[in-house]
Amino acid sequence: DIGNGAVQFDYQAIFISSSAELIGTCLVVFLIDRAGRIASQVSAYLIGGVCLFLLCFFSDNGSRTFLIGVSFGARVCEMMGSCVTWVTTAEVLSTEIRTTGHSAANAVARLGGFFSPYLVGGKLSLPTVGIIM
């Protein structure tokens, strides 16, 4: 929100959304052996993607509570999926394959970091950005 030429942040929403990472990590600790690694990883990324998709589509007309809840859900699921991915790759793949994959992911992340401002800051609507991402 921009008021009087200054940017204002909703620190309460940022705190609530950020606390999702702690909750996601705690959930993984309890669920990874009970539900299984693959099931935990796939469901976490799937639900996180749906939450992110919802966040893009309802960003203009969704209530503040709904948007905070959806962003909280997205961050919980993405943190869960990421934690399970780190555990699974260490168990399944050799060090050589992991380092090659990590380097390739790092290169793609840098490209994404370069193109993101043009994608988000352009004239595209948020739903279109959500579909592209």
Side-chain angles (χ1 to χ4, degrees), residues 40-102:
S40 298
Q41 186 176 17
V42 169
S43 61
Y45 282 135
L46 183 67
I47 295 169
V50 168
C51 287
L52 187 62
F53 199 67
L54 288 173
L55 194 59
C56 287
F57 274 95
F58 292 108
S59 62
D60 292 334
N61 55 4
S63 71
R64 179 179 181 272
T65 305
F66 174 75
L67 293 175
I68 291 172
V70 170
S71 67
F72 184 85
R75 285 184 84 164
V76 164
C77 291
E78 296 304 326
M79 190 64 182
M80 287 176 64
S82 178
C83 289
V84 176
T85 299
W86 281 104
V87 170
T88 305
T89 55
E91 292 174 349
V92 175
L93 303 173
S94 68
T95 302
E96 181 180 325
I97 293 173
R98 284 196 321 263
T99 56
T100 303
H102 190 74

Side-chain angles (χ1 to χ4, degrees), residues 8-60:
Q8 298 176 3
F9 294 102
D10 187 354
Y11 289 109
Q12 182 183 20
I14 293 170
F15 174 76
I16 292 169
S17 179
S18 296
S19 65
E21 293 184 9
L22 178 64
I23 292 172
T25 303
C26 291
L27 281 173
V28 161
V29 168
F30 294 115
L31 292 177
I32 194 166
D33 287 328
R34 288 184 179 92
R37 283 151 173 68
I38 302 300
S40 298
Q41 186 176 17
V42 169
S43 61
Y45 282 135
L46 183 67
I47 295 169
V50 168
C51 287
L52 187 62
F53 199 67
L54 288 173
L55 194 59
C56 287
F57 274 95
F58 292 108
S59 62
D60 292 334

